[in-house]
Amino acid sequence: MNILERDPSDPRRKPMNPGLKFLLELGPGLVFFFATIRGEWLGEKFPILTHLGEPILIATAFFMVATALSLSASWLLTRSLPLMPLVSAIVVFVFGALALYLQDKTFAFMKPTIINSLFGVTLLGGLLFGRSLLGYVFDSAFQLDAEGWRKLTFRWGLFFLFLAVLNEVVWRNFSEATWLYFKVWGTIPITLLFTFSQMPLIMRHSLEEKAKEEKAGN
């Protein structure tokens, strides 16, 4: 049985409230943020956590658990797993485990770089082979013509690479606290702004809009 995102018409697929979906995807990041800034307090209240290392490594462990819970909740609610969060989770588990095992927080800093680079290269690489892979992720959200998917895939591919470069610039040149606030309170607004900026393209290439225009013309 395919556990990845199913076609919306699949009777086994249960719809999820958009707000809940957003919360499940955002939740692990918030857990990481608050566990990092309260890492010393957590270590004092629960001494066993100090064996994990410094606060950011404690937060990494919390992040891994929160990610697993988020995916589990998504599966229980919809009987499917969203592709991009699933790929992100795999990177989180691999790099989180390395960070904890080696006691090296560099892996935590580089995780967003790896995830965004992976998405960007995959989307742009798919276009080289004539595949607009973004359509497989967002097809349940809206229907676009082939040109629309190609343009949107190209833009998202570049955007993911931009986020990867931006993360590298921030963590290598600024304090850990600055990187932490950027990761949670900077990346999300930037992504939302980019998403909203793509709405004109989506409207121009929307099959639903074209169908309405043809119907109005008749």
Side-chain angles (χ1 to χ4, degrees), residues 96-116:
L98 285 172
L100 293 172
Y101 180 73
L102 299 175
Q103 288 293 291
D104 189 348
K105 59 187 178 183
T106 301
F107 290 104
F109 292 143
M110 291 190 65
K111 177 187 65 64
T113 300
I114 299 301
I115 292 175
N116 289 313

Side-chain angles (χ1 to χ4, degrees), residues 11 30 33 57 60 62 91 96 103 109 115 133 152 154 173 178 188 199-200:
L30 294 178
F33 174 78
L57 294 176
T60 296
F62 273 74
V91 177
Q103 288 293 291
F109 292 143
I115 292 175
L133 299 178
L152 196 61
F154 179 72
N173 295 280
T178 299
I188 294 174
M199 291 310 298

Side-chain angles (χ1 to χ4, degrees), residues 128-143:
L128 293 177
F129 293 94
R131 305 295 295 273
S132 301
L133 299 178
L134 198 67
Y136 293 96
V137 179
F138 288 151
D139 186 58
S140 61
F142 37 76
Q143 302 286 327

Side-chain angles (χ1 to χ4, degrees), residues 23-199:
L23 181 61
L24 287 175
E25 294 181 2
L26 178 64
L30 294 178
V31 168
F32 179 80
F33 174 78
F34 288 110
T36 299
I37 63 176
R38 299 291 288 172
E40 292 185 4
W41 178 85
L42 287 170
E44 292 174 359
K45 292 294 182 181
F46 307 97
I48 192 173
L49 293 177
T50 59
H51 294 291
L52 295 173
E54 56 187 289
I56 194 171
L57 294 176
I58 294 176
T60 296
F62 273 74
F63 186 45
M64 295 167 69
V65 173
T67 299
L69 291 175
S70 175
L71 285 178
S72 299
S74 180
W75 166 250
L76 291 173
L77 292 170
T78 67
R79 294 301 174 184
S80 64
L81 292 178
L83 180 59
M84 295 179 72
L86 178 60
V87 173
S88 297
I90 293 172
V91 177
V92 166
F93 296 144
V94 171
F95 277 77
L98 285 172
L100 293 172
Y101 180 73
L102 299 175
Q103 288 293 291
D104 189 348
K105 59 187 178 183
T106 301
F107 290 104
F109 292 143
M110 291 190 65
K111 177 187 65 64
T113 300
I114 299 301
I115 292 175
N116 289 313
S117 296
L118 178 62
F119 287 152
V121 170
T122 299
L123 291 178
L124 296 178
L127 289 177
L128 293 177
F129 293 94
R131 305 295 295 273
S132 301
L133 299 178
L134 198 67
Y136 293 96
V137 179
F138 288 151
D139 186 58
S140 61
F142 37 76
Q143 302 286 327
L144 304 181
D145 57 29
E147 182 182 1
W149 281 124
R150 282 195 299 271
K151 290 181 177 179
L152 196 61
T153 297
F154 179 72
R155 293 183 183 185
W156 271 99
L158 292 181
F159 179 69
F160 279 126
L161 294 182
F162 164 75
L163 288 180
V165 172
L166 189 57
N167 183 71
E168 285 295 294
V169 170
V170 173
W171 86 262
R172 291 181 184 275
N173 295 280
F174 297 90
S175 67
E176 181 178 310
T178 299
W179 172 80
L180 177 63
Y181 278 90
F182 159 76
K183 181 181 183 298
V184 178
W185 308 116
T187 303
I188 294 174
I190 291 173
T191 302
L192 289 175
L193 286 174
F194 175 78
T195 301
F196 289 134
S197 72
Q198 302 311 302
M199 291 310 298

